[in-house]
Amino acid sequence: MEKKKINIRFSVLIAMVLAAAFSRLIPHPPNFASIGAIALFGAAYFSNRIIAFIIPLLSMWLSDIVINNTIYAHYWNHFWIIPDGFPFNYFAFLLTVPLGFLLLKKIKVVNVIGASVLAAILFFLISNFGVWLNNPIYPQNISGLISCYAVAIPFFGNTLAGDLFYSAILFGGFELAKYTFPILAKSKTAI
């Protein structure tokens, strides 16, 4: 029975992460996405810390492959496998997981909101640093960096809204599912 409990919980968690990652295929405002929420959710619910990194990261990468080879295919002249912003966007994503380890030891609304806000800020700072570093329209000095961040401010609101919205869906949905289906509650040997 214990093994079945673990597999059902693990399967539901993976399904939720994949669903959130592929929700990016649904038309949405720029930067209103599930990225930060996926990283936080993985950190909070996967007992194995390596899995907490791998499952959300793999889900995001797979959804990126689908998005960039279907919706944005007209921008590429080849099959897309590695994103242009890969180092910075994925680095921000990977730093969000330990943020979740630190802030989401207990799943409380205030903790999820706080972690979501910090995840959005982290993504904003790192991803736009990458834009500044790799885009020739910005001078490679402090003035250019400030200009890049200033131009990106309108997108921050959508990033924050997306992280909060998808965190509410993922965390609220799983907590409700655990309440409704006790088999999903964490066991001592859960994956």
Side-chain angles (χ1 to χ4, degrees), residues 15 22 46 50 56 60 63-64 66 71 84 90 95 101 113 119 128 133 135 149 154 157-158 161 164 168 171 180 191:
F22 280 91
F46 288 114
I50 293 170
M60 188 170 101
S63 67
D64 273 346
V66 172
I71 296 171
D84 286 342
Y90 281 64
L95 287 181
F101 292 152
I113 291 171
N128 287 298
L133 199 59
N135 194 326
Y149 282 127
N158 286 346
L164 290 169
F171 285 90
T180 307
I191 294 175

Side-chain angles (χ1 to χ4, degrees), residues 46-181:
F46 288 114
S47 300
N48 181 315
R49 289 191 172 202
I50 293 170
I51 297 292
F53 280 97
I54 292 173
I55 299 296
L57 183 65
L58 187 59
S59 298
M60 188 170 101
W61 180 67
L62 290 172
S63 67
D64 273 346
I65 287 175
V66 172
I67 290 166
N68 285 294
N69 288 299
T70 58
I71 296 171
Y72 299 123
H74 59 280
Y75 291 114
W76 316 105
N77 61 359
H78 61 283
F79 183 79
W80 180 97
I81 197 159
I82 302 292
D84 286 342
F86 180 82
F88 295 96
N89 293 346
Y90 281 64
F91 181 64
F93 182 83
L94 288 173
L95 287 181
T96 303
V97 175
L99 182 70
F101 292 152
L102 291 171
L103 300 178
L104 298 172
K105 291 177 182 172
K106 291 198 182 260
I107 307 302
K108 296 180 184 177
V109 172
V110 69
N111 294 357
V112 173
I113 291 171
S116 297
V117 169
L118 289 175
I121 292 169
L122 182 70
F123 186 81
F124 175 83
L125 292 173
I126 293 172
S127 65
N128 287 298
F129 180 81
V131 169
W132 167 74
L133 199 59
N134 293 304
N135 194 326
I137 68 167
Y138 297 108
Q140 297 300 295
N141 55 35
I142 195 71
S143 171
L145 180 60
I146 291 169
S147 176
C148 181
Y149 282 127
V151 168
I153 288 172
F155 297 100
F156 176 73
N158 286 346
T159 301
L160 179 59
D163 283 355
L164 290 169
F165 175 79
Y166 283 103
S167 288
I169 298 294
L170 287 169
F171 285 90
F174 191 68
E175 289 300 315
L176 180 61
K178 282 185 357 186
Y179 178 78
T180 307
F181 305 103

